[in-house]
Amino acid sequence: MTYPNQPRQDGPYPPDGEYGHTGETGRHGEYVQYPPAGRPFAAEPAVPAQTVPAPTAPGARPAHTGAFPDPTRTARHAAPPTAPSPVPGRAAGAGAAPAAKPGRDRYLDVLRAVALVRVVFFHLFGWAWLTVLFPSMGVMFALAGSLMARSLARPAGSVIRSRLRRLLPPMWAFSLVVVPVMFALSWKPVREEGVWWFIKIAYYIFPVGTPPYPEESGSTGGWLELTWADQAAGPLWYLRAYLWFVLASPLLLKAFRRLPWVTLLAPIGLTAVIGTGLVTVPGTFGEGLIDFAVFGSCWILGFAHNDGLLKEIPRYLAVSSAAIVMGFGLWWASGHLTEEGWNLDEIPLAQATWSLGFCAILLVYAPSWQKLPGRLAGWDSLVTLANNRAVTIYLWHNMLLMAAVQLVDELWSVPWFGDTFGTYIEQSYEVLVLIVIWPLIGLAILAFGWVEDVAAKRRPRLWPNGADKRRA
């Protein structure tokens, strides 16, 4: 079996808050949920002394009259309360019960975890139909756009710095391992790239462009095959695209709130121009621009989700419109199939339209889960761990898949075992790789995952699956 060398790598949800909150973590790791842009937190209203009824029993308290919404509803759907007139000299909220702490949207956490698993399956088995079944890239960008819009209720500069702080250190840790190995295996970048290499190498520090790497490195049949560098550095395109969206979000959000539908559909139009060959933008800038166009509508759809625009559209109209857009995507793909078949990653306009419609349906029907319901509750620890270590899993999974392949290959070298079970190893080769990859991902989480905590200014944790909070 040859490990599939995919030219496109799917990505994880970016590192926003503790395992993808719809808010931020505070100084000591506590969860803080930010309201949508333009809607500040409501102050706890004062309770006038003359309106407080006398308790009818010893120890009885007045009813809570705080301005915080019902925790079963999201902030953007809560009606603004009417605060009574404050009483001079009395602290606001005195005598009122403390407001409930807002929770995470576990539905979004599940989507991120599913997307990561789908990425691993796709890069192992190479099944093109997985890009249709669950367009993980579009989903991740839509969720990231929603969170970015929510965070931009704060000053844009501080939000961008926060995003960069969470994104870059895990990439630096990855680069500190991978790039020296490239040099150790006789990479001669100045000879191959020229003096421009000294600029391009900076993309491993600040990925606004495509980082350089050797097209061939390693050895045939060795632990590092000839294409290992291409496969290892391939996922970095996602970090570039995410960085572009973060930097552009303040302007995109202003444009969206002025002309929502034009802004939402503009990236589709741009994809139709530069993603179909009608106009060609050369070089790595062109590659980045195509990615920006393809997933731009999904990112902006996240703005619409955060601002409640999707709730204002009748559900039947939203779903039927999304189905039409998805149908166009499949129709376009059917006439532009590549040698990889229905791999939408290789058909930009089909990817853009299918992902937009798919994400719209997911967000229109999005429930608000404070806890995983029913049988999903049994997966709570793994969902939490995947969200806490999404960037680590994404950055390292290709390297770990190559290592898993080599480990399974070694089974044939085990005395007696290889001769006796060689046929079974061959028949179940990819399944064995799938089994081996998960312990390797666990080791990567233990070795490198703590960098995500340091980047987020949290206490480093080896295995953040939420067990400590459940015990508390």
Side-chain angles (χ1 to χ4, degrees), residues 94-115:
K101 190 177 181 179
R104 307 173 187 93
D105 193 334
R106 300 297 278 164
Y107 172 72
L108 303 186
D109 286 347
V110 169
L111 291 182
R112 297 178 196 118
V114 170

Side-chain angles (χ1 to χ4, degrees), residues 156-180:
S158 66
V159 173
I160 291 175
R161 286 193 299 271
S162 174
R163 294 297 183 271
L164 297 183
R165 190 188 70 238
R166 296 172 185 275
L167 175 72
L168 296 180
M171 178 181 175
W172 296 339
F174 176 81
S175 301
L176 283 174
V177 174
V178 172
V179 175

